[in-house]
Amino acid sequence: MKRIFLIGYMGSGKTTLGKAYARAMQLQFIDLDWYIEERFHKTVQELFEERKEDGFREIERNMLHEVAEFEDVIIACGGGTPCFFDNMEYMNGKGETVFLDASPEVLFRRLKIAKSKRPLLMDKSDEELMDVIQNALRIRTPFYSQAKYVFNAESLEDREQISCSVQRLKTLLLN
Ligand SMILES: Nc1ncnc2c1ncn2[C@@H]1O[C@H](COP(=O)(O)OP(=O)(O)O)[C@@H](O)[C@H]1O
Ligand SMILES: O=C(O)C1=C[C@@H](OP(=O)(O)O)[C@@H](O)[C@H](O)C1
Ligand SMILES: [Mg+2]
């Protein structure tokens, strides 16, 4: 039975790589944010607005516990999932955790054009965005670093890079 959790900051590639790896390895793919939106019939943004971040984090933890019962699955977590409650310890007890590691510069390049649906970034100017990324990584890296595996996630910009990244992840997890 396979159960893989992809963790890492926004824009590190959890959703992109998770979807591609699931297709290649015949696993079920769950994006935790998508799962939350389906179960609550609200977007992540609406949940942040209505319940503030604390309320979202409670929901996130509860939904993590739901999807962590699925088998033969790869789960793309949200960027904050490992950093609240005992979620990181819980995931390490339920499956293989993989930290998708990318530099602040790579994350900035990706997030500069993908802020709109991310409540924590949508009101940030480009000038503020790099500071937000660097500050968040300082706070969150101690959580991300508890993952069983670290994966360099800097090559996800096109189909070929995504395909190569799938093969590298397969080698990492099957060795
Ligand atoms: N279909 C795609 N083609 C090329 N690059 C993509 C595609 N989807 C995502 N990416 C790149 O991968 C980055 C990571 O996106 P995503 O998987 O949503 O990260 P996360 O789920 O970790 O926030 C995007 O910002 C973009 O640069
Ligand atoms: O880093 C975070 O705290 C968050 C990351 C998002 O997921 P992605 O990492 O898939 O963008 C989503 O869960 C929410 O906007 C909060
Ligand atoms: Mg995602």
Side-chain angles (χ1 to χ4, degrees):
M1 187 276 289
K2 276 281 176 206
R3 185 178 294 130
I4 303 162
F5 298 93
L6 300 184
I7 68 170
Y9 196 64
M10 290 179 261
S12 58
K14 303 181 295 294
T15 300
T16 301
L17 184 57
K19 205 177 290 181
Y21 190 82
R23 194 178 304 124
M25 304 300 287
Q26 280 87 46
L27 294 173
Q28 184 180 359
F29 171 67
I30 297 282
D31 181 287
L32 186 55
D33 285 334
W34 174 86
Y35 186 84
I36 288 167
E37 294 184 339
E38 288 293 298
R39 289 277 276 99
F40 283 79
H41 305 296
K42 289 183 185 290
T43 65
V44 166
Q45 183 181 343
E46 286 165 340
L47 290 168
F48 261 78
E49 286 165 1
E50 292 169 17
R51 303 189 184 211
K52 307 309 177 210
E53 181 167 5
D54 287 352
F56 173 78
R57 298 303 176 189
E58 290 279 349
I59 291 171
E60 185 180 51
R61 179 202 27 203
N62 296 339
M63 295 300 102
L64 173 66
H65 285 233
E66 277 192 18
V67 300
E69 293 307 318
F70 293 16
E71 297 186 353
D72 295 324
V73 63
I74 181 166
I75 298 160
C77 295
T81 308
C83 313
F84 293 86
F85 308 109
D86 65 344
N87 292 347
M88 193 65 219
E89 183 185 355
Y90 175 77
M91 289 189 281
N92 275 326
K94 293 294 281 188
E96 311 284 331
T97 50
V98 183
F99 167 32
L100 300 194
D101 190 18
S103 68
E105 292 72 20
V106 167
L107 295 172
F108 175 82
R109 173 166 50 79
R110 290 174 177 173
L111 291 171
K112 195 165 65 160
I113 55 174
K115 291 185 282 189
S116 60
K117 287 190 178 176
R118 293 175 163 111
L120 296 177
L121 301 181
M122 57 202 304
D123 61 345
K124 297 294 180 286
S125 68
D126 285 354
E127 292 68 34
E128 293 165 325
L129 182 58
M130 182 56 96
D131 285 345
V132 168
I133 293 169
Q134 290 176 324
N135 291 333
L137 289 177
R138 254 193 297 278
I139 293 164
R140 293 183 170 186
T141 299
F143 295 93
Y144 293 155
S145 302
Q146 294 173 42
K148 182 173 180 184
Y149 300 98
V150 180
F151 180 85
N152 182 312
E154 301 216 334
S155 303
L156 284 171
E157 311 318 312
D158 59 38
R159 283 182 186 282
E160 185 182 348
Q161 288 191 10
I162 293 168
S163 175
C164 291
S165 291
V166 167
Q167 292 310 313
R168 277 195 299 119
L169 183 58
K170 184 176 171 183
T171 303
L172 180 67
L173 291 176
L174 297 183
N175 276 351

